[in-house]
């Protein structure tokens, strides 16, 4: 039913400003979930189970960070067929993000430009929302970042605070140090800074695992705008530092493919179809350097089932949707799961 309703809903929502449409969509999803309507409309989620990091994912298609910023729509998104949901980005303290307007549609290019700036209600509220979720049986990742006012030389304290707060509710924790919308954040991707950040996080991961008796995998999300030497150096940092997983890639500062669009000059990260090739190339480069030792989640410009298949064949174990989900609707989730199950079957036993 949702696949039939979504084209009409999208037509109406696209008449609104992008951020207003986003807020209304999440509110509607939550309301339908509370009224127990969403499950009936969405149908049974497609399954394609796989085990990774000791976690069992119901399928390999997840919701990327940035859609459910405060983790208050987890159950509703779960009804739409995602095998895992990455909430956030959450910061230690609430922050409003950048001034509006800060989200722009490029409909003819199937793309968005955003400069949201980690707007969220803070990690404590996000964790409380996850605790309140009840029906989602998939994997929940918590994407964490630093507050805008925190200088880079103190950034590790923000990430550690978020890690501690999210530890008990997160199935995995994703470190966002690659958003283009927090000034200076991408400087943390320089090898020395990344090594210091990773060392601090891994030490705290070990402490928390010892204290709580549960281990939470640590992933880091990288940008698609790096040249090969930086990819090579970061890969060595990740291998030496014992990183559990990588997410490739975030939005791009490139305007290739949208230079002539009316919104092409807007500041922020570009997502959607114009990012597809760049994200694949970034994934392939990291996969080659990591040699299968660190599992990768492929994200960025996955607009079709064929794009999802291409990420797995390029070296990813899982994929995530965001902009493609907005343009394609819930049907894209099930289509991707089915295509991956057919063309890229998990090895026997569901092990990645």
């Amino acid at each position: 039913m949702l696949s039939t309703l979504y084209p009409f809903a999208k037509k109406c929502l696209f008449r609104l400003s992008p951020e207003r449409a986003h807020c209304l969509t999440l509110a509607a999803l939550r309301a339908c979930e509370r009224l127990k309507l969403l499950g009936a409309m969405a149908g049974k989620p497609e399954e394609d189970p796989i085990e990774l990091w000791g976690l069992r994912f119901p399928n390999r298609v997840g919701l990327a960070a940035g859609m459910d910023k405060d983790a208050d729509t987890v159950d509703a998104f779960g009804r739409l067929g995602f095998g895992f949901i990455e909430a956030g980005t959450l910061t230690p303290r609430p922050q409003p993000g950048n001034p509006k307007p800060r989200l722009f549609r490029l409909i003819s290019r199937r793309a968005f430009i955003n400069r949201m700036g980690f707007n969220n209600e803070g990690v404590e509220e996000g964790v409380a929302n996850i605790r309140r979720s009840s029906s989602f049986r998939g994997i929940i990742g918590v994407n964490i970042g630093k507050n805008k006012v925190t200088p880079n030389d103190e950034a590790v304290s923000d990430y550690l605070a978020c890690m501690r707060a999210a530890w008990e509710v997160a199935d995995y924790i994703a470190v966002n140090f690659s958003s283009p919308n927090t000034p200076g954040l991408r400087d943390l991707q320089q090898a020395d800074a990344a090594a210091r950040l990773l060392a601090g996080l891994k030490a705290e991961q070990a402490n928390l695992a010892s204290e709580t008796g549960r281990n939470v995998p640590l992933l880091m999300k990288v940008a698609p705008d790096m040249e090969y030497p930086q990819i090579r150096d970061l890969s060595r940092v990740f291998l030496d530092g014992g990183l559990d997983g990588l997410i490739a890639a975030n939005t791009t500062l490139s305007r290739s493919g949208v230079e002539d669009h009316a919104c092409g000059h807007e500041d922020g990260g570009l997502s959607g179809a114009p990012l597809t090739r760049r994200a694949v190339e970034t994934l392939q480069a990291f996969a080659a350097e990591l040699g299968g030792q660190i599992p990768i989640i492929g994200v960025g410009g996955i607009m079709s089932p064929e794009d999802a298949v291409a990420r797995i064949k390029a070296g990813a174990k899982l994929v995530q949707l965001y902009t493609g989900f907005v343009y394609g609707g819930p049907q894209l989730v099930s289509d991707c799961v089915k295509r991956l199950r057919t063309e890229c079957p998990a090895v026997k036993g569901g092990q990645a």
Side-chain angles (χ1 to χ4, degrees), residues 10-47:
K10 184 175 76 170
K11 184 176 181 180
C12 295
L13 289 167
F14 274 29
R15 294 178 182 273
L16 305 174
S17 71
E19 190 165 352
R20 178 63 174 158
H22 178 93
C23 293
L24 283 176
T25 298
L26 268 61
L29 287 172
R30 291 192 294 269
C32 288
E33 174 66 9
R34 285 195 301 270
L35 294 171
K36 302 187 184 303
L37 299 174
L38 200 54
M41 290 191 292
K44 185 179 178 181
E46 293 287 339
E47 294 186 0

Side-chain angles (χ1 to χ4, degrees), residues 63 225 318:
L63 179 68
D225 299 319
L318 308 167

Side-chain angles (χ1 to χ4, degrees), residues 17 23 26 43 58 75 79 81 87 110 116 130 149 157 191 231 257 269 306 312:
S17 71
C23 293
L26 268 61
D75 286 339
R79 298 286 185 193
R110 295 188 300 154
M116 302 299 288
I130 292 173
V149 298
S157 63
I231 291 174
E306 292 78 14
I312 299 298

Side-chain angles (χ1 to χ4, degrees), residues 302-313:
I302 298 179
M303 311 298 290
S304 68
E306 292 78 14
D307 291 335
V309 168
R311 298 308 162 92
I312 299 298
K313 291 184 176 180

Side-chain angles (χ1 to χ4, degrees), residues 56-79:
R56 189 163 183 83
F57 291 75
N59 65 60
R60 288 177 280 179
V61 179
L63 179 68
M67 181 70 75
D68 192 2
K69 289 181 176 294
D70 290 307
D72 56 6
T73 317
V74 168
D75 286 339
F77 279 120
R79 298 286 185 193

Side-chain angles (χ1 to χ4, degrees), residues 30 33-34 36 68-76 79 87 90 121-137 140 142 165 168-170:
R30 291 192 294 269
E33 174 66 9
R34 285 195 301 270
K36 302 187 184 303
D68 192 2
K69 289 181 176 294
D70 290 307
D72 56 6
T73 317
V74 168
D75 286 339
R79 298 286 185 193
L90 297 171
E121 295 299 322
V123 69
E124 297 295 342
E125 179 66 19
V127 167
N129 288 334
I130 292 173
R131 292 189 188 281
R132 283 190 285 267
S133 65
S134 58
S135 66
F136 181 56
R137 296 294 178 262
I140 298 177
V142 176
E168 291 290 348
V169 302

Side-chain angles (χ1 to χ4, degrees), residues 286-302:
F286 272 107
E289 290 295 319
L290 297 174
Q293 297 182 64
I294 296 176
I296 304 174
I297 298 176
V299 62
I302 298 179

Side-chain angles (χ1 to χ4, degrees), residues 322-336:
Y322 187 121
T323 302
F325 174 68
V326 175
Y327 281 93
Q331 188 63 42
L332 180 61
V333 182
S334 61
D335 287 348
C336 286

